[in-house]
């Protein structure tokens, strides 16, 4: 994992100043960052999404879910270098998998296209990764996070599902069903995503734990969708998430043995070096 302070290996040329990407007054990185945005008929929301994306990111990959509005045209107008990938299947999971395959950056950030997430938070996710985490997981319920877009029923469901995952897989998550995450691209080889719907986020969270990857939660604030209606259906998709959880085999004993030598989840909720 690269950072400004990492020394060059013997016989390897050190990166030049022009190769570093300044992302704050205290941090510059060499790894290129790809941002994946799955979108279907989000033309009205994309201006709000793109205006918060930092200019130092390497690429934006927009996965178009066969939009019937001007989603693609608006994206190209807002970010001329955007990489547009056509989704041939259906569902958010399928869209994300398609986008991940198209990424060329070492770090991958996944963000929704409805304007509910703040792209300015990407710096916190990337900072966690270059400081040693494998997977930076957004949390609306970690200290400093929040949400404007969850009913009491959805909060209760998220808490219940999160509790099941924590107990079954030995995780310590504060949030489960949230789509704002970032990770090193090599993590994809260890989690082998194979679902197509909204439950993909839960599957990722479970499999990074099972793979023994180092996870750090990042406090994140979720805003209301700006335009249009979400395709999420709380009861239907809640049962799909539960089915994924119950279908994944627990390997807590192996994780406990591993955790004895290296903590699985960074206990410093949301701390960024």
């Amino acid at each position: 994992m690269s950072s400004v302070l990492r020394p060059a290996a013997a016989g390897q040329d050190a990166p030049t100043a022009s190769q570093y990407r300044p992302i704050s007054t205290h941090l510059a990185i060499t790894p290129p960052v790809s941002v994946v945005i799955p979108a279907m008929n989000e033309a009205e929301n994309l201006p709000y999404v793109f205006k918060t994306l930092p200019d130092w990111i390497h690429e934006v990959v927009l996965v178009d879910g066969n939009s019937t509005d001007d989603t693609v045209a608006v994206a190209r107008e807002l970010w001329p270098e955007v990489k547009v990938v056509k989704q041939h299947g259906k569902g958010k999971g399928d869209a994300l998998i398609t986008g991940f395959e198209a990424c060329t950056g070492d770090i991958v950030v996944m963000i929704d296209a409805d304007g509910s997430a703040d792209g300015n938070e990407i710096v916190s996710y990337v900072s966690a990764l270059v400081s040693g985490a494998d997977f930076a997981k957004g949390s609306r319920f970690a200290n400093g996070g929040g949400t404007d877009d969850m009913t009491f029923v959805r909060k209760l469901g998220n808490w219940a599902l999160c509790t099941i995952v924590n107990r079954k897989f030995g995780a310590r998550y504060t949030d489960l069903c949230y789509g704002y995450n970032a990770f090193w691209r090599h993590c994809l080889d260890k989690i082998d995503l194979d679902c197509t719907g909204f439950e993909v986020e839960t599957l990722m969270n479970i499999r990074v734990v099972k793979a023994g990857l180092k996870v750090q939660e990042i406090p994140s604030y979720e805003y209301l969708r700006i335009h249009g209606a979400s395709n999420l259906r709380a009861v239907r998709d809640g049962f799909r998430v539960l089915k994924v959880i119950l279908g994944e085999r627990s390997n807590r004993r192996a994780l406990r043995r591993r955790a004895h030598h290296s903590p699985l989840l960074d206990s410093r909720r949301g701390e960024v070096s």
Side-chain angles (χ1 to χ4, degrees):
M1 301 176 188
S2 302
S3 71
V4 175
L5 301 178
R6 182 179 181 181
Q12 179 181 356
D13 293 335
T16 63
S18 62
Q19 290 176 293
Y20 289 119
R21 293 175 174 80
I23 67 174
S24 74
T25 56
H26 304 291
L27 180 66
I29 62 172
T30 56
V33 177
S34 299
V35 176
V36 176
I37 307 175
M40 183 175 69
N41 297 329
E42 299 284 9
E44 291 185 285
N45 291 321
L46 288 184
Y48 299 92
V49 178
F50 278 82
K51 75 178 181 180
T52 66
L53 295 180
D55 57 10
W56 46 261
I57 61 178
H58 167 62
E59 67 180 355
V60 176
V61 178
L62 182 98
V63 184
D64 177 43
N66 300 300
S67 299
T68 57
D69 66 359
D70 294 328
T71 291
V72 173
V74 170
R76 286 175 171 154
E77 180 180 353
L78 295 168
W79 200 281
E81 299 82 17
V82 66
K83 180 186 290 186
V84 177
V85 182
K86 199 74 172 178
Q87 181 182 359
H88 297 292
K90 292 183 179 180
K92 185 175 184 180
D94 180 82
L96 285 172
I97 293 170
T98 300
F100 296 159
E101 291 175 348
C103 289
T104 61
D106 294 331
I107 291 175
V108 178
V109 181
M110 45 191 279
I111 190 170
D112 289 338
D114 58 6
S116 63
D118 183 359
N120 290 306
E121 292 179 358
I122 291 177
V123 62
S124 297
Y125 289 82
V126 172
S127 295
L129 295 175
V130 299
S131 298
D134 298 306
F135 191 89
K137 181 190 178 307
S139 173
R140 297 161 291 187
F141 304 112
N143 188 24
T147 178
D148 293 332
D149 194 29
M150 288 193 80
T151 63
F152 173 77
V153 172
R154 285 182 59 197
K155 285 183 180 179
L156 182 62
N158 187 51
W159 172 83
L161 294 169
C162 190
T163 299
I164 294 172
V165 167
N166 287 344
R167 291 180 178 176
K168 183 176 181 180
F169 300 99
R172 289 187 288 170
Y173 292 139
T174 61
D175 198 354
L176 184 68
C177 307
Y178 190 42
Y180 200 172
N181 303 297
F183 51 90
W184 292 94
R185 188 155 56 102
H186 64 74
C187 294
L188 292 171
D189 297 331
K190 300 180 180 179
I191 60 178
D192 190 25
L193 299 177
D194 54 5
C195 68
T196 60
F198 281 100
E199 67 273 19
V200 66
E201 296 150 0
T202 296
L203 185 66
M204 293 180 74
N205 293 332
I206 291 174
R207 290 190 176 172
V208 295
V209 170
K210 291 174 64 176
L213 299 175
K214 185 177 180 182
V215 181
Q216 181 169 326
E217 284 197 331
I218 304 299
S220 179
Y221 201 94
E222 178 187 40
Y223 299 90
L224 289 170
R225 163 182 275 273
I226 299 174
H227 296 286
S230 172
N231 292 318
L232 176 68
R233 298 294 178 265
V235 176
R236 178 200 66 187
D237 292 308
F239 277 112
R240 292 183 66 167
V241 168
L242 180 60
K243 184 178 179 180
V244 164
I245 295 171
L246 298 179
E248 289 290 304
R249 295 185 60 183
S250 174
N251 59 347
R252 290 191 64 178
R253 290 182 180 177
L255 290 174
R256 284 170 179 167
R257 288 195 298 269
R258 187 184 296 137
H260 180 72
H261 302 287
S262 177
L264 178 61
L265 180 64
D266 197 323
S267 59
R268 300 169 302 165
R269 301 288 186 190
E271 279 192 17
V272 179
S273 299

